[in-house]
Amino acid sequence: MAFPEPKPRGPELPQKRLKTLDCGQGAVRAVRFNVDGNYCLTCGSDKTLKLWNPLRGTLLRTYSGHGYEVLDAAGSFDNSSLCSGGGDKAVVLWDVASGQVMRKFRGHAGKVNTVQFNEEATVILSGSIDSSVRCWDCRSRRPEPVQTLDEARDGISSVKVSDHEVLAGSVDGRVRRYDLRMGQLFSDYVGSPITCTCFSRDGQCTLVSSLDSTLRLLDKDTGELLGEYTGHKNQEYKLDCCLSERDTHVVSCSEDGKVFFWDLVEGALALALPVGPGVVQSLAYHPTEPCLLTAMGGSIQCWREEAYEAEGGTG
């Protein structure tokens, strides 16, 4: 008789704190991995943007040029440029290597909450408290956006981009998905102000967090509610949520100092990871590995799975 196959090992969750970095830039408003997960960006309330190697704990460059706190940032697919947005209503395009401002796009009537590149990094999409998503051409000298998406009735809290779609979450309680190939707009009503939204890694679902302390997993095409995830606290701040690197777990910040992990299919809470005494302001999940970055106060924390051994010891 054949022996049963060994059960495949379940996905490991990042729960071992490897590093805490004091970023030295006031409150860290957002932390973001670059495209391959080797570097990260931190957005500071002191108007700076910083580029780090988070596993080594080394600061690589500081980017100065915003007039007010930086609220979000993203890296391009080829790591050559960055974009950022902030309280000065500006969207900034940076050259990574030189640290220079390449372009500064003005046009939003209020602070810029969220920025993303398209896949080719030819367009920056920015979402603002002014209820609009604006699309800026990185290669053009024109000061005005190439397109403005202004269907939202309240501020835009979150924008994500796939190869042919824009996903925008708004304080008006709706998630809007713009299908650029078809020229269509799809809207799903959640009801509570939306704080963050994202695509699943397989592109089939959207994850939405809102100020009723609930995350919802929606079928991208039908809008059907596939799952609800609760237990964390999110009633007043714009907090990040995401899916783990293999779409196995739903992950969210919380106002009670923890990061929550739920099993995507079961909906059960898998882990409440204590980060510290404050609000977990932001998080970023590595694109291919069980590695998590969290932001609290003026520092970021780097987490890996229990079995992980840092190269050259645990420095």
Side-chain angles (χ1 to χ4, degrees):
M1 70 177 227
F3 286 103
E5 289 287 314
K7 281 177 84 170
R9 280 209 357 229
E12 294 191 88
L13 297 178
Q15 49 190 311
K16 176 164 132 182
R17 189 191 300 237
L18 285 192
K19 278 261 187 307
T20 297
L21 305 181
D22 180 4
C23 297
Q25 54 185 158
V28 177
R29 296 300 184 206
V31 59
R32 302 288 178 245
F33 271 114
N34 76 321
V35 63
D36 53 22
N38 291 330
Y39 305 102
C40 75
L41 296 162
T42 55
C43 303
S45 65
D46 73 343
K47 314 176 194 175
T48 66
L49 184 61
K50 291 188 177 185
L51 179 69
W52 306 83
N53 179 322
L55 283 177
R56 288 227 172 103
T58 48
L59 174 64
L60 303 173
R61 194 173 275 286
T62 300
Y63 301 84
S64 302
H66 273 286
Y68 208 69
E69 61 181 0
V70 187
L71 296 173
D72 196 17
S76 64
F77 74 97
D78 59 0
N79 290 322
S80 68
S81 38
L82 309 172
C83 63
S84 60
D88 57 1
K89 312 178 194 175
V91 176
V92 180
L93 175 67
W94 308 84
D95 178 61
V96 168
S98 70
Q100 297 298 305
V101 173
M102 288 154 61
R103 299 291 310 280
K104 195 176 270 196
F105 300 103
R106 299 189 180 279
H108 279 297
K111 68 179 183 179
V112 177
N113 284 324
T114 176
V115 291
Q116 287 275 291
F117 280 109
N118 68 339
E119 288 211 327
E120 300 80 36
T122 54
V123 175
I124 300 168
L125 293 96
S126 56
S128 164
I129 199 173
D130 70 5
S131 310
S132 73
V133 176
R134 298 183 189 221
C135 310
W136 311 91
D137 186 339
C138 300
R139 301 167 300 182
S140 148
R141 281 286 173 230
R142 291 173 50 202
E144 61 275 354
V146 288
Q147 192 171 5
T148 300
L149 309 173
D150 55 7
E151 285 74 18
R153 303 271 67 89
D154 208 331
I156 303 289
S157 57
S158 178
V159 170
K160 296 295 190 312
V161 186
S162 76
D163 61 345
H164 66 284
E165 300 163 301
V166 176
L167 191 67
S170 170
V171 179
D172 69 9
R174 285 189 179 274
V175 191
R176 293 172 177 85
R177 180 170 61 90
Y178 299 85
D179 187 319
L180 305 177
R181 267 186 210 148
M182 309 288 289
Q184 286 179 296
L185 166 61
F186 301 91
S187 176
D188 291 305
Y189 185 61
V190 169
S192 179
I194 290 165
T195 57
C196 185
T197 180
C198 58
F199 292 108
S200 58
R201 309 232 175 207
D202 68 7
Q204 303 297 305
C205 307
T206 55
L207 181 67
V208 184
S209 68
S210 49
L211 289 182
D212 55 358
S213 298
T214 304
L215 286 95
R216 294 170 176 86
L217 188 70
L218 306 177
D219 182 291
K220 189 183 79 178
D221 292 323
T222 66
E224 180 191 354
L225 180 64
L226 301 176
E228 285 193 323
Y229 310 89
T230 56
H232 65 302
K233 184 179 178 208
N234 186 11
Q235 296 170 328
E236 49 182 323
Y237 293 98
K238 173 180 139 38
L239 300 184
D240 292 329
C241 65
C242 68
L243 289 153
S244 61
E245 85 281 10
R246 295 191 303 191
D247 276 347
T248 57
H249 288 80
V250 169
V251 189
S252 176
C253 293
S254 181
E255 289 162 12
D256 63 6
K258 302 187 188 85
V259 170
F260 283 71
F261 295 79
W262 296 266
D263 183 288
L264 176 116
V265 178
E266 305 281 328
L269 183 64
L271 173 67
L273 178 70
V275 177
V279 174
V280 184
Q281 198 70 55
S282 179
L283 60 75
Y285 213 100
H286 193 284
T288 56
E289 293 172 27
C291 177
L292 174 75
L293 299 176
T294 51
M296 177 178 286
S299 61
I300 62 169
Q301 302 78 33
C302 181
W303 308 82
R304 291 291 310 224
E305 71 279 18
E306 284 291 357
Y308 180 81
E309 285 300 328
E311 293 165 26
T314 55

